[in-house]
Amino acid sequence: MNTLAGNIGSSGDLYFDEDDVLHFRYKESEYTSNKAVRELINSLEKSGIKTEVTKYTYDDLFKQQMIIYEEVKNYYGDESKLPKFELVSDIYEGKVKFSAESLDNNLLEKLMENHSNVLEFKLEKFNSTGVSEKSVMSNWNKLGAGLGILPPGGSCSVAGIAYKNGQYFF
């Protein structure tokens, strides 16, 4: 199609589902305003690639994730006072998933007020290494975007997570 996957990040996301079917999830606003995206989508559909509309791309979610992270960090001021938490951009549900062991109610109210369209919050227990029990124990059965490992446990990320045929891939 004469384009690279990285060049369409602001318009949509390419991903494989658990049945190895390639999907292109795109923003409706891009379809109506961008002729090149319309042509790309028409070409993809003709080649058997599944297309679907989404409200947010991974780029959109990741930007929101970083804004939320900065708001949490600024609220607590000192990084040593930050609770254990994870922020993950979930393109399947179009949400930034925020889990924490504890969170000040005033901060939670502010975050929900500012980001209610994209933020999903839940209290979750973390293990001794600072990773939520869900992350460690979950039955990951989708190819997904990366996992952010944020302070106080570190400042790293994993590029992708997948579960297939009984094996985990990071």
Side-chain angles (χ1 to χ4, degrees), residues 44-62:
L44 292 173
E45 288 173 345
K46 287 176 186 171
S47 7
I49 295 171
K50 304 280 185 193
T51 60
E52 50 209 43
V53 177
T54 187
K55 195 170 185 178
Y56 305 106
T57 65
Y58 178 76
D59 285 355
D60 296 333
L61 293 173
F62 188 73

Side-chain angles (χ1 to χ4, degrees), residues 94-143:
K95 297 278 183 191
V96 174
K97 295 189 174 184
F98 181 16
S99 56
E101 279 195 330
S102 64
L103 198 67
D104 184 277
N105 283 336
N106 292 328
L107 174 59
L108 181 56
E109 286 176 17
K110 181 181 172 191
L111 291 173
M112 293 309 290
E113 182 179 312
N114 293 341
H115 307 284
S116 62
N117 58 330
V118 72
L119 182 63
E120 181 181 296
F121 176 77
K122 70 176 167 179
L123 291 174
E124 194 160 351
K125 199 134 178 82
F126 285 66
N127 67 19
S128 61
T129 63
V131 178
S132 75
E133 295 297 325
K134 167 118 177 70
S135 294
V136 175
M137 304 303 290
S138 180
N139 180 16
W140 295 99
N141 57 8
K142 298 178 181 176
L143 177 62

Side-chain angles (χ1 to χ4, degrees), residues 6-170:
N7 295 341
I8 59 171
S10 62
S11 302
D13 300 298
L14 283 169
Y15 68 94
F16 286 95
D17 65 18
E18 52 273 342
D19 297 321
D20 296 329
V21 175
L22 183 59
H23 293 253
F24 179 62
R25 187 175 283 168
Y26 62 92
K27 290 196 314 193
E28 188 171 21
S29 60
E30 287 291 316
Y31 184 83
T32 55
S33 67
N34 189 330
K35 181 181 177 188
V37 170
R38 278 193 304 276
E39 291 173 358
L40 174 66
I41 291 166
N42 290 333
S43 296
L44 292 173
E45 288 173 345
K46 287 176 186 171
S47 7
I49 295 171
K50 304 280 185 193
T51 60
E52 50 209 43
V53 177
T54 187
K55 195 170 185 178
Y56 305 106
T57 65
Y58 178 76
D59 285 355
D60 296 333
L61 293 173
F62 188 73
K63 286 174 189 169
Q64 285 297 307
Q65 178 180 327
M66 298 305 3
I67 290 168
I68 293 165
Y69 170 71
E70 287 299 321
E71 288 179 21
V72 171
K73 190 171 91 171
N74 291 338
Y75 183 85
Y76 285 99
D78 184 355
E79 284 194 18
S80 66
K81 295 178 182 177
L82 286 172
K84 291 180 183 176
F85 70 93
E86 288 179 338
L87 281 164
V88 177
S89 297
D90 184 334
I91 64 169
Y92 301 106
E93 295 184 29
K95 297 278 183 191
V96 174
K97 295 189 174 184
F98 181 16
S99 56
E101 279 195 330
S102 64
L103 198 67
D104 184 277
N105 283 336
N106 292 328
L107 174 59
L108 181 56
E109 286 176 17
K110 181 181 172 191
L111 291 173
M112 293 309 290
E113 182 179 312
N114 293 341
H115 307 284
S116 62
N117 58 330
V118 72
L119 182 63
E120 181 181 296
F121 176 77
K122 70 176 167 179
L123 291 174
E124 194 160 351
K125 199 134 178 82
F126 285 66
N127 67 19
S128 61
T129 63
V131 178
S132 75
E133 295 297 325
K134 167 118 177 70
S135 294
V136 175
M137 304 303 290
S138 180
N139 180 16
W140 295 99
N141 57 8
K142 298 178 181 176
L143 177 62
L147 169 67
I149 306 165
L150 300 174
S155 187
C156 301
S157 65
V158 176
I161 302 167
Y163 178 80
K164 187 172 181 180
N165 300 332
Q167 295 183 29
Y168 290 99
F169 299 90
F170 295 96

